[in-house]
Amino acid sequence: MTSTWSPSSWRDKPIAQDVIYEDKVHLERVLGKLRRLPPLVSPWRSQLADVAVGKAFLLQGGDCAELFDDCSQDPISHKLSLILLMSLIILHGSRLPVVRIMRIAGQYAKPRSKPTEVVEMDARGPNGEVIKEKKEVLSFRGDNVNGYEVEERMPDPERLLGRPVQECKVQEGKVQVDEGLLPLHRHAQLHPHPAPLGLCEHAQTLEWSFSHVRSPELQKAFAGVIESLQDSLDFMRVATGGVGGNERGGSETVDLYTSHEALLLEYEEALTRPIYEPKPQSFSAPPTRPGTSSDSRSNSHVRGASASSSAGASTGLPRSPVRQRSFIPSSPVVPSSEHGAEDAAKYYNVSSHFIWIGDRTRQLDGAHVEYFRGIANPIGIKVGPTMQPEELVRVLDVVNPDRIPGKVIIIGRYGADKVDKFLPGHIDAVKATNHVVVWQCDAMHGNTKSSQTDPSLKTRHFVDVIHEITRSMEIHREKGTILGGVHLELTGEVNEDGYSVTECIGGSMELEDKDLSFNYRTHCDPRLNYEQSLDVAFLISDHLKAKRRGEAPRDILLSGLRGRTGAK
């Protein structure tokens, strides 16, 4: 690993999940436009250090892949209101601040397991009849790269300009909870969602229906949580001076942050800017673990092992192919007269508050790790069964050499049947160092399956999702560490008649495999729907409440949410 970093130094490294553009001149013209754009967000001085030590909880969720067409009022409102409501349920049980991060305003590109796929297309037979013909085409990589329709699969640089972040009304990460912008929907399964309601103005008038919940015991448990939550919301409304107050921290204001997987490094580089900061700020008391002196920042000291100083050394760890590039290098930072000698320039990715490295792009010698090691944003690293414990430590050394508490979120995506095998080793490896990280459970990506009714449809079983979350909590408790948050693919989306999507099996509504075709809408991976997402929130709230009180979680929630699919 070289010591010199710039926003473009990743171009000298091998890159995985690359997008090949045929017209390089066109690509550079588009990147030039991106370089001239103003920042889309301001640097986030995050509360993730609090999450790392159990003083806050992290809720991250949103679409698998956003579509440009969904950047309109109703789809955005559905997403934001769902995350808000989930956070209120979790806050109520945990009594912890909830840090809300959405997969929004940037999640327009996706890695794929294969660069091409085979699709069936209509064609003309020898006698002019319509027949089905199989054709191999480029995989859909997200609206930022190519189109979903077969004839739009060629990567188009113009799509890099199509991220309509400003139009998404998520500016500066501050969202006003106002009627029409962040509505709360009442809970109804396979019935049209009723009209939106505001948060505090309607705190006493929210009417909830749990008719979708098949279990009477579970209905009673959910209703008890909501009754208590409504009382708390009413207290907040009165305590903060009623409706209409706009003081920061009052009941009318919440913080919400944007995020996406940083896959297209040309785009990320173009929106990476130097920011001058007179002095780093701390928003949390330092963790109890000792810090690291400046002379030991090159590598973590793992008990019983030695770490190589070269991330590219021959270790048998995954590497990726190299592609030569032509590019316009980023300009060096030259402090102006406005900045004193004590001021430091840090590079921030200003396309989003938080970005992460995917499980397919985290090669130690790769371009993505090289890019991430130089930015000051809080960052995430997807970690799965293929990640060796010593490799995880070395990645942490590279991307967070200053050991900033909470800067790195380790996003575990093991699968319900593998979390017991791999998570403990990763925890042990990190505990043996002086890295203070946020542990997060992505219970979606390791649990994707094919529908039995229609194998062309991907689905996820709710029982697998909650099993991975609850086992992660238990493993961390056994190890003396903290599961700080969850990372979910979810949506509050409804069809024209107001029905929730049907992409995942199970939950309190007990969706079955045969129900998937009713309202299957995803263009990529299956998402939890509105009701299933709230099921997860109730479960997490119950576990955190039990932890706070020193009790065991209520078995009724876990057994009830497993439904007819059975327990693990």
Side-chain angles (χ1 to χ4, degrees), residues 218-439:
L218 205 54
Q219 282 189 4
K220 183 178 179 180
F222 285 176
V225 172
I226 292 303
E227 180 180 359
S228 179
L229 175 59
Q230 286 178 305
D231 285 343
S232 299
L233 286 173
D234 186 47
F235 172 80
M236 289 168 58
R237 182 181 63 83
V238 175
T240 55
V243 179
N246 56 9
E247 291 296 321
R248 176 173 169 79
S251 60
E252 297 298 310
T253 302
V254 297
D255 289 342
L256 186 143
Y257 303 96
T258 62
S259 71
H260 65 265
E261 178 180 354
L263 188 65
L264 305 179
L265 293 183
E266 290 96 342
Y267 179 90
E268 309 300 342
E269 176 193 335
L271 285 165
T272 302
R273 311 287 167 77
I275 306 293
Y276 287 90
E277 296 182 336
K279 185 178 180 181
Q281 299 185 30
S282 174
F283 292 86
S284 175
T288 55
R289 295 183 185 180
T292 306
S293 60
S294 60
D295 60 357
S296 63
R297 288 178 176 173
S298 59
N299 288 282
S300 288
H301 299 289
V302 182
R303 301 188 195 100
S306 61
S308 169
S309 61
S310 172
S314 177
T315 62
L317 300 175
R319 295 174 178 266
S320 49
V322 178
R323 176 167 74 85
Q324 297 297 323
R325 297 168 175 268
S326 60
F327 67 100
I328 301 174
S330 301
S331 301
V333 180
V334 179
S336 69
S337 57
E338 299 177 2
H339 307 290
E342 73 282 0
D343 293 347
K346 295 183 178 180
Y347 278 95
Y348 282 89
N349 183 310
V350 294
S351 72
S352 189
H353 297 102
F354 171 81
I355 57 177
W356 71 88
I357 307 175
D359 193 46
R360 296 185 178 103
T361 55
R362 53 168 173 72
Q363 294 82 7
L364 272 166
D365 69 323
H368 289 81
V369 169
E370 169 64 19
Y371 171 77
F372 271 74
R373 78 178 180 95
I375 59 174
N377 304 60
I379 61 175
I381 303 170
K382 285 288 188 84
V383 174
T386 60
M387 172 73 91
Q388 299 299 316
E390 62 272 18
E391 179 190 7
L392 173 57
V393 170
R394 293 182 62 198
V395 172
L396 290 174
D397 289 340
V398 171
V399 300
N400 189 21
D402 293 327
R403 310 301 194 270
I404 300 172
K407 175 180 170 64
V408 179
I409 299 177
I410 297 178
I411 310 169
R413 35 95 70 228
Y414 302 98
D417 58 342
K418 297 180 180 178
V419 62
D420 283 273
K421 181 177 180 180
F422 294 101
L423 176 58
H426 290 155
I427 293 174
D428 289 341
V430 176
K431 281 184 67 177
T433 74
N434 47 19
H435 285 286
V436 180
V437 303
V438 174
W439 292 96

Side-chain angles (χ1 to χ4, degrees), residues 190 453 502 510-520:
L190 292 185
T453 305
T502 53
E510 297 187 3
L511 278 179
E512 299 181 19
D513 192 276
K514 62 182 176 63
D515 300 322
L516 292 177
S517 61
F518 178 78
N519 190 23
Y520 193 94

Side-chain angles (χ1 to χ4, degrees), residues 3-72:
S3 59
T4 302
W5 182 91
S6 75
S8 60
S9 60
W10 63 268
R11 293 176 178 267
D12 296 327
K13 301 289 183 177
I15 185 167
Q17 292 288 322
D18 197 13
V19 175
I20 308 299
Y21 294 96
E22 291 188 346
D23 190 339
K24 309 298 183 186
V25 175
H26 188 185
L27 174 63
E28 287 300 333
R29 185 165 61 248
V30 168
L31 293 177
K33 294 179 181 179
L34 290 172
R35 294 184 187 104
R36 294 190 293 272
L37 286 179
L40 302 179
V41 300
S42 295
W44 177 27
R45 295 162 180 82
S46 76
Q47 305 95 337
L48 293 176
D50 288 338
V51 177
V53 294
K55 295 181 180 179
F57 189 83
L58 171 60
L59 174 63
Q60 184 174 5
D63 281 312
C64 170
E66 294 181 272
L67 300 176
F68 291 158
D69 288 344
D70 288 342
C71 197
S72 57

